[in-house]
Amino acid sequence: MAAIPAYRWRLAPEGLATRRQLRALGLRPGGQDVVAELQRPRRRRGPLVAYLYRIDRAKPVRPMTPGRRAALAKAMTARRTCPVCRRDAGYCIPRSLGMCVPCSS
């Protein structure tokens, strides 16, 4: 099995993009395999790694359906609702607290 090529930060060749870069272009990997990886060195730990995909093989992002939109809205409402006071906090409840900031004080 051959290893995939690794490029240093900001030195990847043209035509390759990370998932986030593909999404900004309105694309998704579309089931293709990882072509290469991008490594950003860090001082005391291993490098940060981002996987690269070919832009020419990427597919367009699927459109948001009404069902997916409703499910996403319901999930975000659940993340904003405090389990203690049952109010919408207006922000996502921190997982470290498990409740809104006023209830944790």
Side-chain angles (χ1 to χ4, degrees):
M1 180 174 160
I4 59 174
Y7 298 101
R8 299 222 4 135
W9 191 249
R10 298 183 189 222
L11 296 177
E14 293 292 321
L16 300 181
T18 63
R19 280 182 178 269
R20 189 171 284 191
Q21 291 168 336
L22 287 175
R23 185 62 183 211
L25 296 172
L27 301 170
R28 61 186 169 94
Q32 65 175 300
D33 291 331
V34 174
V35 176
E37 65 181 33
L38 192 62
Q39 294 182 351
R40 181 177 181 196
R42 297 191 288 182
R43 291 184 183 209
R44 296 189 179 141
R45 293 180 276 175
L48 287 174
V49 176
Y51 297 112
L52 298 171
Y53 302 91
R54 289 184 48 174
I55 295 174
D56 60 347
R57 289 189 186 169
K59 296 181 180 176
V61 175
R62 294 182 193 128
M64 183 69 76
T65 63
R68 289 174 70 192
R69 190 178 308 278
L72 182 60
K74 187 175 178 181
M76 292 306 293
T77 301
R79 288 185 65 191
R80 289 191 313 264
T81 304
C82 175
V84 177
C85 65
R86 301 308 242 170
R87 290 186 302 160
D88 186 345
Y91 54 87
C92 289
I93 304 293
R95 291 178 61 190
S96 59
L97 297 177
M99 60 187 82
C100 64
V101 176
C103 289
S104 68
S105 299

